[in-house]
Amino acid sequence: MSIKFSKEHEWINTADTNAAVVGITVHAQDALGDVVFVDLPAVGTTFNEGEVAGVVESVKAAADVYMPVSGEIVEINEALRDDPSLANSDPLGAGWFFKVKLSDASQLDALMDKTAYDSFAAGA
């Protein structure tokens, strides 16, 4: 699988070469609890790596969603906006947040694979 993870607890799946899919990790949704609202970026917006691209709110807290790489938002998950609980029930699938057209694919090299992320998250 072509999934990488950020230290801010986002994942990015680059299996589709046209646009990478971004969401929050299982660890992030566990820490947040029941997600009740998501604020997604507008299609066409460009972000730099590390910039806040959205917000996820739960019954416990609100958290920023950071861009794991630089790029342009090409699609958002309208189903997630309608049913934010998808971020809890299927964070690595139907609970994706947005798709991004990468502006610098080499930034993916700085992200963690699943083994490294699991070790990082266990120590967080």
Side-chain angles (χ1 to χ4, degrees):
M1 202 173 258
S2 314
I3 296 182
K4 296 276 198 150
F5 300 87
S6 73
K7 290 183 178 175
E8 291 76 31
H9 306 286
E10 283 81 29
W11 57 266
I12 182 166
N13 184 338
T14 57
D16 179 346
T17 55
N18 294 321
V21 183
V22 177
I24 63 170
T25 65
V26 171
H27 176 82
Q29 68 84 28
D30 280 346
L32 284 167
D34 293 336
V35 174
V36 295
F37 175 78
V38 292
D39 182 21
L40 300 172
V43 171
T45 307
T46 300
F47 293 94
N48 290 320
E49 175 186 20
E51 285 188 319
V52 174
V55 176
V56 58
E57 294 181 16
S58 73
V59 293
K60 291 201 276 188
D64 292 329
V65 177
Y66 296 93
M67 285 294 288
V69 294
S70 300
E72 178 186 350
I73 304 299
V74 294
E75 185 179 340
I76 59 168
N77 186 352
E78 292 291 353
L80 183 65
R81 184 175 280 163
D82 295 338
D83 182 5
S85 70
L86 289 171
N88 295 118
S89 62
D90 193 8
L92 298 177
W96 62 275
F97 278 57
F98 49 82
K99 294 183 180 180
V100 60
K101 181 178 176 185
L102 306 180
S103 57
D104 182 359
S106 71
Q107 291 175 336
L108 293 167
D109 297 339
L111 299 175
M112 294 174 273
D113 63 17
K114 181 166 179 11
T115 303
Y117 176 75
D118 287 346
S119 177
F120 168 78

